[in-house]
């Protein structure tokens, strides 16, 4: 029987790669995103190569009811759920002093609460099914060390790590694992925004800003989205069945612990 995975934020970037890799690994995937155009594009592209293996769903993960409806819809479309990847996230770059309340609230609503609702909805379904499940959350290098101008973003990612540890302890009794991936630098639209806004505040250029960050990487280059997807594939595979509550840095050698 084919396994079924939901990937939020799968309309582009890391989430799109995760969806494509899961399909290559014989999963059926729910491409979930706030942007219906990109979600449909990714789903169509997958189905063109591997017919009937993807469907797209449009939702804002900050809305708890929408996340629960997503799980219900996917179970009604595909019959069950095995994997939930809480990948969707947004960034907000500003100094602590200048951070705008509406932006901070939105970031926490999406990154932290959206992940909370995802864990809640997925775990409820897994418990109902009675045969385990796998939850994987997008944390970040920003979940182990705060960076200047990333206060709200870092706070949300530290929180996702804590939330994942609590969830892992509560859900192990049901055979559910909860882990996170912590990318360093991946060149996606989210990273473009970070470099542009950081450069603007630091009065440098986006290219120089990006170079200064890439210079910190031992491998001297950013991660590809495929490299992040490979880690997620491992975390959802039976090979990772004894790993839970962990948050795995995948940064090409930026921080060591
Ligand atoms: P991205 O901006 O390229 O893609 C994010 C996707 O999430 C988009 O398709 C967007 O439409 C969707 N999305 C945003 N808000 C949403 C919402 N409220 N509901 C549903 N979908 C929503 O970002 P990315 O770089 O692919 O990042 C994916 C995840 O990885 C994020 O959680 C991010 O914080 C994390 N991450 C990225 C990097 C990096 O360098 N790119 C580093 C560390 C962690």
């Amino acid at each position: 029987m084919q396994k079924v995975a939901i990937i939020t934020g799968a309309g582009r970037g890391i989430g799109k790669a995760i969806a494509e890799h899961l399909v290559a690994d014989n999963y059926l995937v729910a491409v979930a995103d706030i942007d219906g155009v990109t979600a449909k594009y990714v789903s169509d592209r997958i189905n063109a190569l591997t017919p009937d293996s993807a469907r797209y769903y449009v939702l804002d993960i900050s809305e708890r009811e929408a996340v629960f409806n997503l799980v219900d819809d996917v179970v009604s479309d595909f019959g069950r759920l095995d994997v939930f990847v809480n990948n969707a996230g947004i960034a907000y770059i500003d100094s602590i002093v200048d951070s705008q309340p509406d932006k901070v609230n939105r970031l926490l609503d999406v990154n932290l609460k959206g992940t909370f609702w995802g864990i809640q909805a997925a775990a409820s379904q897994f418990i109902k099914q009675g045969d385990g499940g796998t939850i994987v959350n997008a944390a970040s290098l920003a979940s182990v060390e705060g960076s200047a101008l990333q206060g709200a973003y870092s706070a949300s990612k530290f929180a996702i790590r804590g939330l994942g540890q609590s969830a892992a302890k509560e859900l192990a009794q049901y055979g559910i694992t909860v882990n996170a991936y912590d990318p360093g630098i991946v060149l996606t639209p989210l990273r473009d925004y970070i470099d542009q806004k950081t450069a603007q505040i630091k009065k440098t250029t986006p290219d120089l800003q990006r170079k200064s960050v890439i210079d910190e990487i031992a491998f001297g280059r950013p991660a590809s989205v495929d490299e992040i997807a490979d880690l997620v594939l491992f975390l959802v595979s039976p090979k990772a069945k004894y790993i839970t509550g962990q948050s795995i840095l995948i940064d090409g050698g930026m921080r060591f612990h």
Side-chain angles (χ1 to χ4, degrees):
M1 190 177 49
Q2 279 182 287
K3 289 189 169 179
V4 179
I6 293 174
I7 307 99
T8 65
R12 70 182 193 199
I14 294 169
K16 171 173 174 280
I18 294 169
E20 290 169 347
H21 281 237
L22 282 168
V23 168
D25 204 34
N26 202 33
Y27 277 79
L28 300 169
V29 294
V31 174
D33 206 287
I34 198 169
D35 183 336
V37 174
T38 57
K40 180 175 186 310
Y41 171 78
V42 171
S43 171
D44 287 350
R45 214 177 97 117
I46 289 173
N47 285 327
L49 293 169
T50 317
D52 302 323
S53 53
R55 280 173 183 257
Y56 74 97
Y57 302 82
V58 184
L59 84 159
D60 179 344
I61 59 157
S62 71
E63 292 169 11
R64 181 176 181 275
E65 205 184 325
V67 179
F68 276 77
N69 288 341
L70 167 69
V71 170
D72 286 348
D73 290 348
V74 169
V75 170
S76 122
D77 290 342
F78 288 114
R80 58 178 287 110
L81 181 67
D82 298 282
V83 167
F84 196 112
V85 185
N86 278 302
N87 169 76
I90 56 174
Y92 174 48
I93 298 295
D94 220 334
S95 66
I96 303 283
V97 170
D98 291 329
S99 286
Q100 300 299 304
D102 60 331
K103 294 279 176 39
V104 174
N105 285 333
R106 177 66 184 158
L107 185 138
L108 295 175
D109 281 350
V110 174
N111 291 11
L112 173 53
K113 291 191 204 162
T115 302
F116 199 113
W117 310 142
I119 293 173
Q120 206 177 37
S124 304
Q125 178 61 30
F126 293 153
I127 292 168
K128 212 187 296 173
Q129 290 174 180
D131 55 357
T134 309
I135 297 170
V136 185
N137 302 320
S140 170
L141 174 61
S143 79
V144 293
E145 183 180 323
S147 290
L149 306 179
Q150 296 189 15
Y153 184 72
S154 233
S156 75
K157 295 298 186 180
F158 266 71
I160 287 171
R161 208 152 50 87
L163 172 62
Q165 291 177 6
S166 296
K169 288 183 184 180
E170 288 182 25
L171 299 173
Q173 62 184 307
Y174 303 106
I176 300 169
T177 61
V178 186
N179 292 296
Y181 49 102
D182 297 347
I185 310 299
V186 195
L187 301 185
T188 63
L190 179 138
R191 188 68 222 180
D192 290 341
Y193 161 75
I194 291 176
D195 288 333
Q196 275 157 19
K197 190 77 196 296
T198 305
Q200 192 187 326
I201 294 171
K202 287 174 135 182
K203 300 199 189 326
T204 177
T205 66
D207 284 351
L208 282 175
Q209 170 57 30
R210 178 163 290 175
K211 183 179 180 312
S212 75
V213 179
I214 290 176
D215 284 346
E216 284 184 55
I217 306 172
F219 280 140
R221 64 165 179 85
S224 69
V225 291
D226 296 319
E227 287 167 330
I228 309 300
D230 280 339
L231 170 58
V232 175
L233 260 279
F234 168 70
L235 288 173
V236 304
S237 76
K239 290 183 180 171
K241 68 181 191 304
Y242 197 61
I243 301 176
T244 198
Q246 301 306 309
S247 187
I248 300 179
L249 264 176
I250 171 159
D251 65 359
M254 292 181 82
R255 297 294 178 275
F256 300 86
H257 64 112

